[in-house]
Amino acid sequence: MNIKQFGGILLITGNAIGGGMLALPLATAQTGFLDSSLFLIVCWGIMLAGGLLILEVNLWFPPNSHLISMARATLGVPGEIIAWLCYLLLLYALLAAYMAGGSDFLQGILQKINLHFSTIVTTILFILCLGPIVYKGMHSVDLINRILMGGKLLIFFLLILFLFPFISVKQLAQGNNIHYLPNSLTIIITSFGFAAIIPSLRSYFHSNIKQLRQVIIFGSLIPLICYIFWNGAIMGVIPNHKLLTIAQSSQSASHLTNTLSHLLNKNSITLFAWVFTSICLATSFLGVGISLSDFLLDGFALSQTKKHKFIVYLLTFLPPLIVVLFYPASFMLALNYAGIWCTVLLALLPALMAWSGRYRQQINTTYRVMGGKKLLCLLILCSSIIIAHAIIVDVF
């Protein structure tokens, strides 16, 4: 495995481990550790299958083709419209969530040094710090992401190590109410929403199928392992009722870190928790930002000129910025709604595109995801159930 593959794995991992990770123990608190761990594995399998199908379909078309081009060619105008709507809604919801979380976090840091700024100022500061990296393109995002991810995984390991002595086995055994599990579906699915970056990675790896498969599988497996350990650590340290209170807070990201600090009263754990939270939000923001900007370039058929890149830069960050400014407490809410669009775009749509391309258009390809029609039917069924439940619970 070369350094570029390692960077690709970290891009997938960084795209997954972010705001969704911070929200997981809050969303699954009532479900309990054991049941939520089993369901994390199931959701990982669903989203991994969707990601590999996106790779398969993307390889049917020229490099730099994105989901718009793929949906248009395989599902016609209806598929193109669905791809446009779901992709924009998903990535704008994610960017809004990460901006809200990043602003909240930055506000908390500045307050500790007696600097008090409004949400508007801290949100704009957050974008100004990370936005230029996205503007420079995938190579810059990859380099910065490697540095951030190296630090994040190290700090995550140390944080879990320091939290381990404080974990209560009795607390982990509490809250195993499986009937609450469906209510956390959208957050869990969103936490595995890494596949949006696959078309960008395909171009970056020059269509090397072997390397891309390894990057997708290993890059998604690392978040699964981290999520299980993270859920165990947080649920084992913070009582269930406190997690439920944090989930309803308007400042969930900083509230979670402050609660850990208050309960344990350990300076080292407080520092690691704050640094880990900041890197989580930064890496996810970068991954989602580059995915959306590449998508807009493809969707509007724009070239890589400075003028077009600046237009795309504004289209990428301005809409979610407006959402955060009007709804500053949108962190958990945005992640909840993102789960609906994530399931449609990264699980249901890939299965439908693969079915159309394989069995209706008879497209021959050197790479095909195993499982045949059974896998596609299972993915269509599971994603449809998740979408229907999420709409009933979150919308109605």
Side-chain angles (χ1 to χ4, degrees), residues 142-162:
D142 182 21
L143 291 177
I144 298 299
N145 189 74
R146 289 182 199 181
I147 297 168
L148 291 174
M149 280 302 302
K152 179 159 74 172
L153 292 175
L154 175 62
I155 292 169
F156 174 78
F157 175 77
L158 293 172
L159 187 57
I160 296 297
L161 197 65
F162 284 133

Side-chain angles (χ1 to χ4, degrees), residues 4 11 54-55 58-59 61-67 70 138-139 196-209 211-212 216 290 294-295 298 304:
K4 192 173 183 180
L11 277 169
I54 287 176
L55 174 62
N58 191 256
L59 289 165
F61 306 102
N64 298 315
S65 299
H66 223 286
L67 283 163
M70 295 157 58
M138 176 60 86
H139 184 67
I197 202 172
I198 289 174
S200 301
L201 286 174
R202 181 265 176 110
S203 302
Y204 190 51
F205 280 91
H206 307 292
S207 305
N208 188 314
I209 297 171
Q211 289 186 350
L212 283 163
I216 293 168
I290 193 67
D294 283 354
F295 172 83
D298 173 57
Q304 292 276 358

Side-chain angles (χ1 to χ4, degrees), residues 21-23 25-26 105 112 155-156 158-168 171 229-239 242-243 246 251-278 280:
M21 183 174 188
L22 302 176
L26 307 179
F105 179 79
K112 289 182 183 296
I155 292 169
F156 174 78
L158 293 172
L159 187 57
I160 296 297
L161 197 65
F162 284 133
L163 286 174
F164 188 78
F166 300 97
I167 294 173
S168 165
Q171 269 186 211
F229 275 97
W230 177 250
N231 259 11
I234 298 301
M235 289 182 182
V237 172
I238 302 178
K242 284 188 178 293
L243 288 173
I246 296 170
Q251 297 177 310
S252 303
S254 60
H255 196 168
L256 178 64
T257 311
N258 289 335
T259 302
L260 274 177
S261 173
H262 176 73
L263 286 174
L264 304 179
N265 197 26
K266 293 282 184 181
N267 291 334
S268 56
I269 293 176
T270 302
L271 176 63
F272 284 138
W274 276 94
V275 174
F276 178 69
T277 302
S278 66
C280 277

Side-chain angles (χ1 to χ4, degrees), residues 74 133 147 196 227 266 271 382:
T74 55
I133 302 169
I147 297 168
Y227 289 158
K266 293 282 184 181
L271 176 63
C382 289

Side-chain angles (χ1 to χ4, degrees), residues 20 31 43 64 103 120 142 163 182 240 250 252 288 293 323 361 378:
T31 305
C43 289
N64 298 315
S103 171
I120 297 175
D142 182 21
L163 286 174
N240 186 277
S250 61
S252 303
V288 173
S293 60
V323 170
Q361 301 177 8
L378 183 63

Side-chain angles (χ1 to χ4, degrees), residues 48-258:
L48 175 61
L52 292 173
L53 287 170
I54 287 176
L55 174 62
E56 177 186 330
V57 176
N58 191 256
L59 289 165
W60 298 344
F61 306 102
N64 298 315
S65 299
H66 223 286
L67 283 163
I68 289 293
S69 307
M70 295 157 58
R72 184 193 308 124
T74 55
L75 301 174
V77 175
E80 181 182 2
I81 293 171
I82 292 170
W84 263 109
L85 287 174
C86 290
Y87 203 98
L88 290 176
L89 287 168
L90 169 62
L91 268 69
Y92 279 139
L94 290 175
L95 278 177
Y98 300 146
M99 284 180 189
S103 171
D104 169 33
F105 179 79
L106 191 57
Q107 221 170 17
I109 291 179
L110 293 172
Q111 284 172 2
K112 289 182 183 296
I113 54 174
N114 292 318
L115 291 175
H116 300 274
F117 293 106
S118 67
T119 301
I120 297 175
V121 174
T122 52
T123 304
I124 292 172
L125 281 174
F126 181 76
I127 297 171
L128 289 177
C129 288
L130 299 174
I133 302 169
V134 175
Y135 177 80
K136 289 182 180 180
M138 176 60 86
H139 184 67
S140 295
V141 171
D142 182 21
L143 291 177
I144 298 299
N145 189 74
R146 289 182 199 181
I147 297 168
L148 291 174
M149 280 302 302
K152 179 159 74 172
L153 292 175
L154 175 62
I155 292 169
F156 174 78
F157 175 77
L158 293 172
L159 187 57
I160 296 297
L161 197 65
F162 284 133
L163 286 174
F164 188 78
F166 300 97
I167 294 173
S168 165
V169 177
K170 185 179 179 181
Q171 269 186 211
L172 286 180
Q174 291 177 353
N176 286 307
N177 301 311
I178 199 164
H179 59 277
Y180 286 113
L181 197 54
N183 296 331
S184 60
L185 263 173
T186 49
I187 296 291
I188 295 175
I189 287 292
T190 306
S191 301
F192 290 110
F194 57 84
I197 202 172
I198 289 174
S200 301
L201 286 174
R202 181 265 176 110
S203 302
Y204 190 51
F205 280 91
H206 307 292
S207 305
N208 188 314
I209 297 171
K210 183 180 178 182
Q211 289 186 350
L212 283 163
R213 282 187 75 255
Q214 290 176 347
V215 163
I216 293 168
I217 293 169
F218 288 113
S220 65
L221 191 59
I222 293 171
L224 172 64
I225 296 167
C226 290
Y227 289 158
I228 292 172
F229 275 97
W230 177 250
N231 259 11
I234 298 301
M235 289 182 182
V237 172
I238 302 178
N240 186 277
H241 69 277
K242 284 188 178 293
L243 288 173
L244 295 176
T245 302
I246 296 170
Q248 295 165 2
S249 168
S250 61
Q251 297 177 310
S252 303
S254 60
H255 196 168
L256 178 64
T257 311
N258 289 335

